[in-house]
Amino acid sequence: MPVSSIFTSRRTVLRAAGAGAVALGLAGCKSAVDEKKSSPAGASGQPKKGGTLQIGSLTDFTPALLFTQNAFTAVHRLVFNTLTSYDPKTLQPQPQLAKSWQVAADGKSVTFQLREGVKFHNGRPFTADDVVFAINNLKDPKRSAQLRATAAVVQEIQVVNPLEVTLKLAHPVSNLFDLFEFMIITDKDSVEEAVTGKKLIGTGPFVFKSWTPGASLSFAKNPEYFIPERPYFDGVEVRIIPNNDSLVSALRGKQVQLAIGLNGRDVAPVKTDPQFTVQQYDTGSGAVYVGANVTVKPFDDKRVRQAISYAINRERIVQQSLGGFGLPSSAPWPKSSPAYSDATAKRYPHDPERAKALLAEAGVSNLDVPLAYLNTSTVIAQMIQFDLQQVGIKTTLEPLDPAKFQAQLIGQTMPALWAGSHGFAQLHPATLAVSAYPFNEAKNTSKFSDPAYTEIVQKAWRQPDADSPAAKAAYQDLSEVLLDRQFVIDLVVLANLYVADKSLQGVGQNTYASLVLDDAYLA
Amino acid sequence: MATDVLSAAPSPGPVPAPAHAPGAGPGPAAAAKPRRRIRNRYLRGLMTPRGIIGLALVGVLLGAGLAAPLLTSHDPNFQSADALVGPGSAGHLYGTDEIGRDLLSRLLYSIRTDLMVVLIAVPLGLLIGGALALVAVTHRVADVAVQRLFDLLLSFPSLILGLTVTAIAGFGAGSIVTVIVLIEIPSFGRMLRGAILVHRDREYAVAARIGGAGPLRLLTRHVLPNAADPVVVQVAVAMSVAVILEGAMSFIGIGIRPPDASLGGMLSASRPYLEDHPFYALGPLVVITALVVGLNLIAEALNRGARR
């Protein structure tokens, strides 16, 4: 059922409400590029019930960031649910806590029918009031939710009855369902305890038991989960192992069955080991890029920025620093994005001669500028530095720790050049241009502003139908303007990797890379 | 290195003073006639098997570091397409790292960087620490002030101090030198202060004072040369501590600025490849170990020589 019909016609499309459809939707959470050894269901074919899954995570839970997409992904879809969830292959929303919905033809309102009989972990039934709370909560600046701009478009919320709610929008937005994929439904009474990590109450497959900062999180099965017979596991333990090598060792030593957060380089020792499976998603890990501060001369000249784009060898970064996992691309989009095209991905091949010619044309020589980078990606920074040096741009590497990097990114205080990675290109393309700090049309780290860019972004964002030819054309325009202006020079679309013991089956993620274990079991 | 010391030693002549300052003028030695006792206590200590091994280890590495441009034709920062090739392949004697840089030249240049940091930082620490010790022995109030300053510096674990300095002063070789200096100041200062206080009240010092020696002459001619023994040993110990500290700071990413090679940085970068490419980690590991063991052997040899 194509999503266009939901958006374009008054005809309301009722979603199948059966649990089977939900299960299907969740199972569909595997990506289109899930190409690595993701082995089929266990030889026996029958999922096994019971047992506790041990997960190793590089990062710890940060409760203050509960309502954002952040590095810790093993809580959002374990404890909570969302109204809808995408099938990542098609970006079609599938029912979750909402069993059906109707979008008005003008794209300015949406009505949800909620699933009945769903209970929070504290026994309270889930109703329309919880949806109202969730939307208002995301609008609150102190939650720093990346999709706040989209939540803010919801002007009025009408509760029709406890199981039906209508949202009125200020203007149509093409990324509306990105919001419902993003927005976790939490118990409204305990939200202040949730953001301090004391109490997490949702409707999800697992009940939060405890969090020991820096050490572990523990979850137990939710016996009243609204999908019958799910989840299979009796419990989930997440161990925080902040060192990449130790995490790989823990996996090999069978202390954990699933490692999350590893990069391509880390998995080299287990890549060829038949004991383990490596699942690769093109969503959730974002893309490596070089940003240019356009207020620093000569980076105000787009030819200089384009020269950088030609100078960097993207394939070599994938091969040498990412262990071969990732897509070299000059555009920010993963292959599953509606804005992806081969032509835009390959727009800037590695061509040092052309880079030199562009620099000469711009009259630039003897450049020596700082290049800030996140101190966890020293290797990529050194490769960028080397490639730039080959075309005559000398750089001094300035490492920043993650907190400082983030602060400078948001505060627009980056030096001439910086290397980092950005997310939010995996959903509807407008989400990137109105949400991600490097791209945000209203205020971005590069201090880039251009009426043409603003116009294109707004046009792409305000499309009432995300799949219409007009919307697709707007996404193409967005790609073109980004590729021409190059204030963000995209290098590699990263792969999100799950390294697991081969007995672990059915692990999935949503498009925000939140871990989904509804169908997971140990064969 | 060991033979250099031996051949430099013979120089007949009267022994000027009962005690020698560190590295004091060469005394008559055993080179001309074997089995004659070496008069300089430090040299005597170094000419034991322990000392010779230490000198050889440090000397070979120092020489390799200094001669790095002669020993390898590869630019240590040049990246090639041959990533992680094993020793001997593609024209790389000791293979390449994950982004195709020649490991041998990186290793040699990192010894250079390391020794440069150590050789600047330790003498600086000795100088400042020693000066503070001299201030401390002049007056009781100064003594209390200096002692509390030492306490303050000692209360920081070295890596915490490293993180703090890096956060304030930015990162790079300058910060490593600063951290090593800050750590060495109290150890040199306390040691020298203690030794001066002990020797100042010894009979020979009292005798010199009665003989009319002023405070300055007493200090420079009599007390300091004798109080120097533990400090000489401490110099070697401090160097080995500095090597470890440089390695540790670069290992956790607050040391030498990339892309320049450093021992700790190489070790840190090699971790993901421990199993598949063990040679990568082995190089910096062997060098750090050899430097630290060598310097400790020298310290031990000097210590034994001084006590005999």
Side-chain angles (χ1 to χ4, degrees), chain A residues 495-509:
Chain A
N496 196 27
L497 297 178
Y498 293 87
V499 191
D501 192 278
K502 70 171 190 309
S503 61
L504 180 63
Q505 308 290 332
V507 174
Q509 66 160 43

Side-chain angles (χ1 to χ4, degrees), chain A residues 243 245 252 265-266 268-269 316 320-321 373 375 378-379 382-387 390 396-399 404, chain B residues 77-83 98-101 106 167 171 253 257-260 268-269 271-273 275-276:
Chain A
N243 178 289
D245 315 316
R252 305 181 97 178
R265 225 158 51 99
D266 304 325
R316 194 168 72 96
Q320 295 188 346
S321 96
Y373 68 99
N375 63 6
T378 316
V379 175
Q382 291 181 83
M383 296 180 86
I384 293 169
Q385 182 189 43
F386 178 77
D387 283 346
Q390 304 310 301
T396 308
L397 294 180
E398 305 282 355
K404 202 162 176 208
Chain B
N77 290 333
F78 187 82
Q79 304 177 9
S80 72
D82 304 311
E98 71 277 18
I99 47 180
R101 295 178 293 198
R106 284 186 76 71
F171 107 138
R257 185 187 295 266
D260 292 337
S268 170
R271 280 181 306 162
Y273 312 104
E275 225 158 296
D276 302 352

Side-chain angles (χ1 to χ4, degrees), chain B:
Chain B
M1 206 52 189
T3 48
D4 285 353
V5 174
L6 258 182
S7 54
S11 137
V15 186
H20 298 265
K33 275 188 186 173
R35 287 175 175 276
R36 247 186 71 189
R37 261 176 88 78
I38 306 171
R39 298 287 291 273
N40 183 305
R41 294 170 305 146
Y42 300 131
L43 274 183
R44 207 161 60 220
L46 286 175
M47 285 307 108
T48 54
R50 192 190 312 270
I52 290 170
I53 294 172
L55 285 172
L57 280 175
V58 176
V60 165
L61 289 171
L62 188 71
L66 289 176
L70 305 174
L71 291 175
T72 168
S73 55
H74 289 282
D75 175 348
N77 290 333
F78 187 82
Q79 304 177 9
S80 72
D82 304 311
L84 286 173
V85 298
S89 32
H92 300 283
L93 214 58
Y94 178 54
T96 58
D97 70 1
E98 71 277 18
I99 47 180
R101 295 178 293 198
D102 183 66
L103 271 178
L104 180 65
S105 62
R106 284 186 76 71
L107 195 61
L108 292 175
Y109 277 89
S110 67
I111 298 174
R112 227 173 193 223
T113 319
D114 207 65
L115 289 174
M116 192 189 70
V117 164
V118 169
L119 291 179
I120 291 174
V122 172
L124 258 179
L126 170 62
L127 218 65
I128 300 174
L132 285 172
L134 291 181
V135 170
V137 295
T138 53
H139 194 273
R140 192 173 298 168
V141 176
D143 193 25
V144 171
V146 168
Q147 289 278 74
R148 294 298 81 78
L149 177 70
F150 288 166
D151 287 345
L152 185 74
L153 289 174
L154 280 172
S155 64
F156 278 101
S158 52
L159 281 180
I160 304 285
L161 190 65
L163 287 166
T164 315
V165 169
T166 314
I168 296 168
F171 107 138
S175 290
I176 305 186
V177 170
T178 312
V179 172
I180 296 174
V181 168
L182 287 177
I183 284 169
E184 301 301 355
I185 284 174
S187 50
F188 280 123
R190 287 205 150 172
M191 195 163 273
L192 197 60
R193 174 188 166 274
I196 291 174
L197 289 182
V198 167
H199 284 279
R200 200 168 58 176
D201 296 331
R202 285 272 174 90
E203 289 82 350
Y204 73 87
V206 175
R209 215 176 305 154
I210 294 167
L216 194 66
R217 187 179 166 77
L218 181 72
L219 194 70
T220 52
R221 289 289 295 173
H222 302 282
V223 175
L224 265 187
N226 285 302
D229 273 353
V231 177
V232 173
V233 176
Q234 180 64 20
V235 167
V237 174
M239 285 189 173
S240 76
V241 169
V243 168
I244 293 177
L245 197 64
E246 187 282 325
M249 283 181 70
S250 297
F251 187 83
I252 62 171
I254 56 169
I256 301 295
R257 185 187 295 266
D260 292 337
S262 63
L263 293 171
M266 285 178 75
L267 203 55
S268 170
S270 73
R271 280 181 306 162
Y273 312 104
L274 265 181
E275 225 158 296
D276 302 352
H277 307 278
F279 65 91
Y280 186 176
L282 209 59
L285 208 63
V286 166
V287 170
I288 293 178
T289 311
L291 272 177
V292 172
V293 168
L295 286 166
N296 274 311
L297 285 175
I298 293 175
E300 181 67 20
L302 286 171
N303 191 23
R304 295 199 170 210
R307 280 205 214 148
R308 218 171 281 162

Side-chain angles (χ1 to χ4, degrees), chain A residues 117-407:
Chain A
V118 177
K119 278 186 183 150
F120 283 99
H121 298 154
N122 59 2
R124 192 173 66 78
F126 158 69
T127 69
D129 291 336
D130 296 298
V131 179
V132 177
F133 171 78
I135 289 170
N136 289 330
N137 184 49
L138 279 200
K139 286 186 190 176
D140 186 345
K142 82 178 174 216
R143 303 287 179 237
S144 32
Q146 286 98 340
L147 266 78
R148 185 154 69 90
T150 308
V153 170
V154 180
Q155 269 186 331
E156 197 191 325
I157 311 168
Q158 291 171 347
V159 176
V160 183
N161 64 53
L163 291 175
E164 187 162 323
V165 61
T166 300
L167 316 180
K168 304 256 189 217
L169 313 182
H171 56 80
V173 286
S174 57
N175 62 342
L176 185 63
F177 280 81
D178 289 1
L179 174 66
F180 305 128
E181 166 102 352
F182 180 83
M183 186 175 75
I184 53 171
I185 305 292
T186 56
D187 171 44
K188 59 185 187 317
D189 305 322
S190 60
V191 70
E192 290 307 325
E193 286 157 287
V195 293
T196 54
K198 286 187 195 118
K199 214 187 247 183
L200 299 176
I201 296 176
T203 56
F206 294 95
V207 179
F208 171 78
K209 269 166 53 188
S210 66
W211 171 46
T212 313
S216 63
L217 286 96
S218 163
F219 304 92
K221 177 181 181 163
N222 174 9
E224 295 186 62
Y225 192 41
F226 65 84
I227 303 175
E229 307 283 307
R230 297 288 194 284
Y232 295 122
F233 282 117
D234 290 335
V236 173
E237 298 284 328
V238 180
R239 290 178 47 195
I240 315 301
I241 304 174
N243 178 289
N244 305 35
D245 315 316
S246 314
L247 182 49
V248 173
S249 303
L251 191 71
R252 305 181 97 178
K254 307 271 178 197
Q255 292 154 324
V256 299
Q257 287 108 29
L258 173 66
I260 54 178
L262 289 175
N263 66 41
R265 225 158 51 99
D266 304 325
V267 306
V270 292
K271 203 160 61 171
T272 50
D273 190 333
Q275 291 261 40
F276 302 99
T277 56
V278 180
Q279 268 190 73
Q280 168 173 214
Y281 291 84
D282 74 346
T283 57
S285 269
V288 179
Y289 73 99
V290 173
N293 184 339
V294 301
T295 61
V296 177
K297 277 190 183 308
F299 298 101
D300 54 337
D301 187 334
K302 76 175 179 191
R303 287 172 299 186
V304 179
R305 308 194 296 260
Q306 290 169 346
I308 294 176
S309 200
Y310 280 119
I312 297 170
N313 187 343
R314 296 172 166 83
E315 278 79 14
R316 194 168 72 96
I317 293 180
V318 172
Q319 288 316 318
Q320 295 188 346
S321 96
L322 299 170
F325 293 100
L327 171 75
S329 170
S330 0
W333 324 114
K335 279 193 168 160
S336 52
S337 162
Y340 177 83
S341 78
D342 272 347
T344 53
K346 294 180 179 144
R347 180 66 52 83
Y348 289 96
H350 180 224
D351 190 345
E353 291 314 313
R354 192 134 172 216
K356 283 183 201 163
L358 275 167
L359 288 173
E361 203 183 305
V364 172
S365 57
N366 292 330
L367 258 187
D368 190 349
V369 292
L371 171 67
Y373 68 99
L374 196 55
N375 63 6
T376 48
S377 49
T378 316
V379 175
I380 291 180
Q382 291 181 83
M383 296 180 86
I384 293 169
Q385 182 189 43
F386 178 77
D387 283 346
L388 292 182
Q389 201 181 350
Q390 304 310 301
V391 301
I393 302 175
K394 236 189 113 199
T395 52
T396 308
L397 294 180
E398 305 282 355
L400 298 174
D401 58 60
K404 202 162 176 208
F405 189 89
Q406 185 80 354

Side-chain angles (χ1 to χ4, degrees), chain A residues 46 61 65 86 96 115 157 165 167 190 212 314 348-349 353 434 445 463 489 504 508:
Chain A
Q46 270 303 317
F61 176 45
L65 297 178
Y86 280 129
Q96 209 172 89
R115 186 178 298 277
I157 311 168
V165 61
L167 316 180
S190 60
T212 313
R314 296 172 166 83
Y348 289 96
E353 291 314 313
V434 297
T445 318
Q463 292 296 323
I489 299 151
L504 180 63

